[in-house]
Amino acid sequence: MTFFNATLILGTLAAVVPIALHLLARREPQRVVFPGVQFLRPKLSSQRSRLRIRRWWLLALRVLAVIALAVALARPHIDSAMSSTWWTVGLMGLTGVGFLILASVAVARGMGRSLAVGVAVAGLLTLLGSLFLGTRTWATSGDLSEGNAQPVAMALLIDNGPSSKRLIASSDGTNSSRLENAIREAATVIERLPDGSRLVVLDRSATPIGFALDAASARLRLSQMKPLANPLPVQERMDAAIELLRSSDLPGKQLVVVSDWNAASWKPSAQTPAMQPEDVAISMLQVDAGVDGNVDASAERSINRFLLPPKLIEVAPAPGVSIPISVSVGMESSSASEGQSINVTVQLSLYERDPSLPVIRDGELVLPRLRGVDRASATVVAGANAELVLTLPPLDLGTHHAVVELVGDDAFGWDDRRFLTLNIPVPPRVLLVGENVDERNVLGLALTALKAPDDDGAGFRVAGVTYADLSAVDWQLIDAVAMIDPPVQIDAVSQSVVSGSGLTSRSVDQLVELARRGGGVVMMLGPSTEVLGVASPNKQAGSDGTDRLLPDLVRSWRVPEPGRFWEERLPSHPILRPLAMLDDQPSWSAFRVNRYWQSEPNAAAGWQTVVRYAGTQHPAVVARTIASDDPSDHSGRVAVLTTPLPALSKKTRSWNQLFTAADAWPAFVVWRGLMQWATGVSDQATTVLVGATAVVPEGDAANQIRRAADAAEASADATAESSVRLYPPMAEGTEIDGEPTISEVNVAERGGVFSETNKVGTTFLRGPGYWGGYSTNLDPVWSRDERVTASEMDQRFGAEQWMSSDSGKRLSIQGRVGGSPPVSLHGPMMLLAVVVFLAEQLLSNRFYRTSGETA
């Protein structure tokens, strides 16, 4: 056993005070003999024996109370490897006390003297044995004191995840971040390290680690730490620290993690096994432990409001049209009282598209001008989000960057600003092929709404022809084709196209060629499709071009009333992405399908079932990609609907109600998502969460039309565009100081793919003939300041493998050797002191009351 405040052991000397008072309080009684008192002498002798026993027990309790309090204040600790020995010492002591109590009862009740003496002797011997064993164990136990002069190898891991940026409101009205508090506590631990110790300071970045040269270099490393938006997992950094500590030849090794215990960083999962390093002591120094996520809601800055990442209501917005943006605003429930509401104002700003900016000027970053374009207000209740719709003005072709922000400050600024990058592409050219002009018009209007198909501001350039006019189509001018109820005849055995008056094998070859050069083909099968002969289910795909455009067809199903309905099989597929972005999800059971084609898509050929019919394995929407003949081009896309859209003609009307139901918006959204995927306009991921991959257009849409008019200039621009400058998220006026923050990248060689998404903000890409970029936002999970509990930490480390502290001054500095952590006896000793004080009070009250009655 050892004591962290050994000088307080001198307090046990105060035990002589009750002994002295006991001896001084004794008075010799005066002898006065009365004749009638001789009959009371036996009774008086019995009372004196009881009072004498109570008096000695009262003295013992008072002495024990003083000793227990002094020992508790000295904060005793024992080695967990010797805990069984100390348990034995405690049980022997309790047994000895029990024997003495039995002896006292025997004397008080006038039982045999020999019995009382025997039990008393047994108790005294047991107590002496307990005292001897405890003294021997104490003398032979190792030194675990807080003032341990033995050097240790220590790793200080600072949790500088996003939650470390949160502000803590102090009682003096100042505010500091959790990271600043963590750095102060870590500096305190460094000051208390014994001479000769080895120290490594690390955070949750990917920076290589090594032991610091001295305390000054460790403090410098601390001062350079900043909150990270995309930190490495805590487990990974702890593993790295433990491996480095094991390389030290010092016997004592300790890992100290300074963290706020935010659940996003610490909550254990099924894939996180418990860490139980037997040779390294793990200590958790919790920052902001007293707050525990429940800050004073009366302080304005302590209430955390937040914005969720904004969503484009239209995935591929058209040029020259106002663009609505949906954004959710809320207030963290843990930072406000129940039912509390506040008024918030959200502002939408837009960076001006300036090809000459950003730029480094006089050593500072100069960004394009940011101007406000819309503003909205709402009342937010704690725990419930409010939806707002903001509107961007009509934009030209190309990439545009916007910022959505909450007006005012609060406890966590990172979720008060959300960044948005959108691309206005060159409108894709879509060919609608169908015999019914009304059906073509309906699909064309649905594709270009709110503009007319022939409007210059429409997001798609739409043209329509019949199947008889396909031979006159210039396929080089088409980006995607959608075929309404194609009149194609399929041989049931070979699944090849039978040439005839409908969609011939030559037309199919042209469609295959369109897909091979990166175009899109959408086929919506209906009554005009025929399967000649008897098809064999589960037939392997053939080798001709037909099975690239159509899965194997088996038969046409006619479903009795009320029919079947769609069921989303791959909700994350880009075709269904516009649906997934909506808050209200469709109830497909209201849109019945009475007839469809049964197909057997071959997964080995790349077919994916995106939507199927509920209760069956029959696909409703299947899709696949076709590798382009030119490796530099995008893959072609093919999608097949086994029931026709929009099903408005006499021939197709009875097949489904997807467009004819009371509210046909789900089919409308799916149709737009289908064509956005087929044309590739939804391929870009220009607004992502930190750590995700961003995908930007390889060319600047604002210059594509101009280049098409001048082939020579287009070739020159393509050469100039090979390299652009990447400006990562930085504040306006940031000094560069020669640091390699600006880099040269090749957009075309990357395929528009960027993994540099570890910072929150807008990344600008600028070069000759190119102005673009992407935006990264903090994951919304960091807006919830939930904490893990000690029991959850037990699951991660093991209940006996870690220690907790809330202050660098009180942190136990010790290197564990042999996997034997110290166990604190401070709590049990305080409890013993309280119990002894209570027992002393009870006995003293009874003693004096009995004395008064006797007198």
Side-chain angles (χ1 to χ4, degrees):
M1 179 186 293
T2 188
F3 302 92
F4 283 174
N5 295 316
T7 55
L8 294 180
I9 291 295
L10 297 177
T12 57
L13 299 178
V16 302
V17 174
I19 297 176
L21 293 176
H22 179 80
L23 296 177
L24 293 175
R26 297 184 61 183
R27 296 180 179 178
E28 195 67 29
Q30 296 181 1
R31 295 181 177 274
V32 179
V33 181
F34 295 94
V37 177
Q38 59 182 343
F39 299 103
L40 299 177
R41 287 180 177 176
K43 180 65 175 178
L44 182 60
S45 176
S46 175
Q47 289 288 355
R48 285 178 176 175
S49 298
R50 295 181 181 180
L51 291 175
R52 189 179 301 112
I53 293 173
R54 291 177 182 173
R55 186 182 298 114
W56 285 111
W57 272 114
L58 186 60
L59 175 62
L61 286 175
R62 288 172 175 171
V63 172
L64 182 59
V66 174
I67 294 176
L69 182 60
V71 172
L73 293 177
R75 296 178 63 198
H77 282 66
I78 63 173
D79 195 326
S80 64
M82 306 186 70
S83 58
S84 59
T85 304
W86 286 107
W87 272 106
T88 303
V89 172
L91 290 176
M92 290 179 62
L94 290 176
T95 303
V97 172
F99 280 145
L100 292 179
I101 292 175
L102 291 176
S104 302
V105 172
V107 172
R109 295 187 176 182
M111 297 181 180
R113 185 178 183 84
S114 59
L115 174 63
V117 172
V119 174
V121 170
L124 290 174
L125 291 177
T126 305
L127 284 176
L128 289 175
S130 172
L131 181 61
F132 172 77
L133 181 59
T135 303
R136 182 175 178 275
T137 305
W138 184 2
T140 57
S141 61
D143 185 11
L144 297 175
S145 66
E146 192 175 47
N148 187 4
Q150 297 298 322
V152 298
M154 175 178 287
L156 267 174
L157 172 57
I158 311 300
D159 181 4
N160 59 337
S163 60
S164 67
K165 191 178 177 66
R166 284 180 176 266
L167 297 179
I168 303 174
S170 60
S171 57
D172 59 1
T174 61
N175 294 278
S176 60
S177 69
R178 289 179 182 171
L179 180 59
E180 293 172 341
N181 284 17
I183 291 175
R184 282 196 295 268
E185 297 294 343
T188 302
V189 175
I190 293 176
E191 293 175 357
R192 296 176 51 236
L193 278 177
D195 295 337
S197 298
R198 303 202 66 187
L199 176 66
V200 55
V201 177
L202 70 157
D203 60 3
R204 295 177 63 183
S205 67
T207 305
I209 62 173
F211 285 108
L213 298 177
D214 50 28
S217 61
R219 294 189 187 95
L220 177 62
R221 176 77 179 94
L222 279 176
S223 64
Q224 295 173 341
M225 290 184 181
K226 296 181 179 180
L228 299 178
N230 186 36
L232 292 178
V234 175
Q235 178 103 17
E236 181 177 332
R237 298 304 281 171
M238 291 184 68
D239 290 340
I242 290 173
E243 288 302 317
L244 181 63
L245 290 175
R246 286 171 174 165
S247 67
S248 173
D249 55 358
L250 293 176
K253 301 173 177 62
Q254 185 173 5
L255 170 60
V256 179
V257 183
V258 187
S259 171
D260 61 359
W261 291 25
N262 187 279
S265 296
W266 284 101
K267 198 163 189 177
S269 62
Q271 291 76 31
T272 304
M275 289 183 60
Q276 295 184 351
E278 297 296 331
D279 54 345
V280 177
I282 298 179
S283 300
M284 300 295 302
L285 202 165
Q286 186 177 8
V287 178
D288 196 18
V291 176
D292 200 19
N294 297 314
V295 296
D296 184 6
S298 62
E300 182 180 353
R301 290 181 60 87
S302 66
I303 295 178
N304 182 40
R305 311 159 304 157
F306 61 85
L307 285 171
L308 296 182
K311 299 178 182 178
L312 284 173
I313 296 179
E314 177 58 55
V315 176
V321 179
S322 298
I323 303 171
I325 297 174
S326 173
V327 62
S328 295
V329 59
M331 178 171 55
E332 185 186 353
S333 57
S334 62
S335 66
S337 58
E338 184 178 355
Q340 182 179 0
S341 63
I342 58 174
N343 292 323
V344 296
T345 300
V346 182
Q347 178 170 304
L348 174 63
S349 302
L350 182 69
Y351 282 106
E352 292 185 349
R353 185 179 162 91
D354 189 341
S356 64
L357 298 176
V359 69
I360 305 299
R361 185 177 297 157
D362 297 331
E364 294 185 351
L365 175 68
V366 180
L367 295 177
R369 189 170 76 92
L370 187 65
R371 61 184 178 91
V373 294
D374 198 5
R375 178 180 284 221
S377 299
T379 299
V380 179
V381 180
N385 297 344
E387 297 292 331
L388 294 176
V389 176
L390 302 170
T391 304
L392 285 171
L395 302 176
D396 297 330
L397 294 176
T399 301
H400 301 268
H401 306 292
V403 180
V404 184
E405 58 185 329
L406 284 167
V407 177
D409 298 327
D410 59 20
F412 190 45
W414 250 347
D415 57 8
D416 293 347
R417 287 169 61 90
R418 296 296 183 177
F419 302 87
L420 174 68
T421 296
L422 64 158
N423 180 51
I424 310 296
V426 175
R429 297 159 297 184
V430 175
L431 179 65
L432 298 179
V433 186
E435 297 298 333
N436 189 291
V437 65
D438 292 334
E439 289 188 319
R440 297 200 307 265
N441 290 338
V442 167
L443 292 183
L445 288 170
L447 200 57
T448 61
L450 302 167
K451 298 287 187 177
D454 57 352
D455 195 308
D456 292 338
F460 293 86
R461 299 287 185 262
V462 181
V465 297
T466 63
Y467 286 99
D469 297 330
L470 277 180
S471 58
V473 172
D474 185 357
W475 293 101
Q476 296 299 319
L477 302 178
I478 302 301
D479 295 314
V481 60
M483 299 198 153
I484 307 168
D485 187 21
V488 58
Q489 295 178 337
I490 306 296
D491 180 74
V493 178
S494 65
Q495 291 291 314
S496 60
V497 174
V498 178
S499 297
S501 59
L503 194 63
T504 64
S505 57
R506 182 176 181 278
S507 300
V508 171
D509 291 339
Q510 292 174 326
L511 295 176
V512 172
E513 184 64 26
L514 173 64
R516 282 177 176 169
R517 64 176 177 85
V521 178
V522 177
M523 304 189 73
M524 296 171 284
L525 306 181
S528 297
T529 303
E530 295 182 72
V531 173
L532 305 179
V534 179
S536 301
N538 302 318
K539 171 187 173 294
Q540 295 296 322
S543 59
D544 65 339
T546 305
D547 57 2
R548 294 185 176 220
L549 300 179
L550 288 173
D552 289 352
L553 300 181
V554 180
R555 52 165 291 190
S556 174
W557 277 76
R558 191 184 301 272
V559 184
E561 291 293 341
R564 293 201 173 111
F565 54 89
W566 282 6
E567 178 183 66
E568 297 173 14
R569 180 69 177 83
L570 296 176
S572 60
H573 195 279
I575 292 176
L576 301 178
R577 187 181 300 164
L579 277 179
M581 295 176 62
L582 300 176
D583 295 326
D584 295 330
Q585 295 301 302
S587 176
W588 287 110
S589 60
F591 307 94
R592 295 290 174 168
V593 177
N594 303 103
R595 195 171 178 181
Y596 62 89
W597 280 94
Q598 178 188 352
S599 65
E600 296 288 344
N602 186 1
W607 288 106
Q608 289 182 303
T609 300
V610 180
V611 179
R612 66 185 176 188
Y613 295 101
T616 73
Q617 296 298 319
H618 298 169
V621 179
V622 294
R624 63 159 299 180
T625 58
I626 297 178
S628 173
D629 293 336
D630 187 350
S632 62
D633 287 342
H634 295 291
S635 299
R637 290 100 185 279
V638 178
V640 177
L641 278 68
T642 58
T643 191
L645 290 181
L648 300 177
S649 66
K650 290 182 179 180
K651 292 177 60 178
T652 59
R653 190 173 301 162
S654 62
W655 278 61
N656 62 68
Q657 302 174 17
L658 294 172
F659 259 73
T660 59
D663 189 2
W665 67 267
F668 174 90
V669 175
V670 170
W671 161 246
R672 292 176 63 89
L674 188 67
M675 295 310 298
Q676 288 166 359
W677 172 78
T679 56
V681 297
S682 62
D683 288 352
Q684 287 88 28
T686 53
T687 302
V688 298
L689 298 179
V690 289
T693 300
V695 182
V696 305
E698 295 184 20
D700 192 339
N703 298 318
Q704 289 183 14
I705 296 179
R706 177 178 56 83
R707 293 176 193 157
D710 190 339
E713 186 180 355
S715 177
D717 284 346
T719 303
E721 229 181 56
S722 59
S723 180
V724 301
R725 304 193 81 186
L726 184 148
Y727 298 83
M730 291 185 290
E732 179 86 31
T734 301
E735 294 187 4
I736 305 305
D737 293 336
E739 298 180 6
T741 54
I742 310 302
S743 57
E744 298 284 337
V745 297
N746 191 306
V747 181
E749 286 185 359
R750 289 170 167 246
V753 177
F754 288 82
S755 58
E756 298 91 336
T757 58
N758 290 328
K759 294 183 178 180
V760 173
T762 298
T763 298
F764 289 88
L765 298 172
R766 187 178 77 82
Y770 191 94
W771 198 87
Y774 53 90
S775 292
T776 49
N777 289 296
L778 190 69
D779 194 319
V781 70
W782 297 104
S783 294
R784 299 189 299 270
D785 192 26
E786 299 175 356
R787 310 290 187 93
V788 295
T789 62
S791 61
E792 289 175 315
M793 287 294 190
D794 289 343
Q795 296 177 25
R796 180 178 285 268
F797 303 116
E800 301 297 330
Q801 301 297 320
W802 70 286
M803 296 177 294
S804 176
S805 177
D806 59 0
S807 171
K809 295 181 180 179
R810 292 189 290 270
L811 179 75
S812 173
I813 298 179
Q814 55 199 344
R816 183 191 313 167
V817 180
S820 180
V823 178
S824 174
L825 297 182
H826 176 71
M829 292 303 298
M830 286 297 294
L831 179 62
L832 177 62
V834 171
V835 171
V836 172
F837 270 117
L838 290 176
E840 187 272 340
Q841 287 294 313
L842 292 174
L843 187 59
S844 62
N845 290 337
R846 182 174 179 81
F847 172 77
Y848 290 119
R849 183 174 67 250
T850 305
S851 300
E853 292 174 356
T854 304

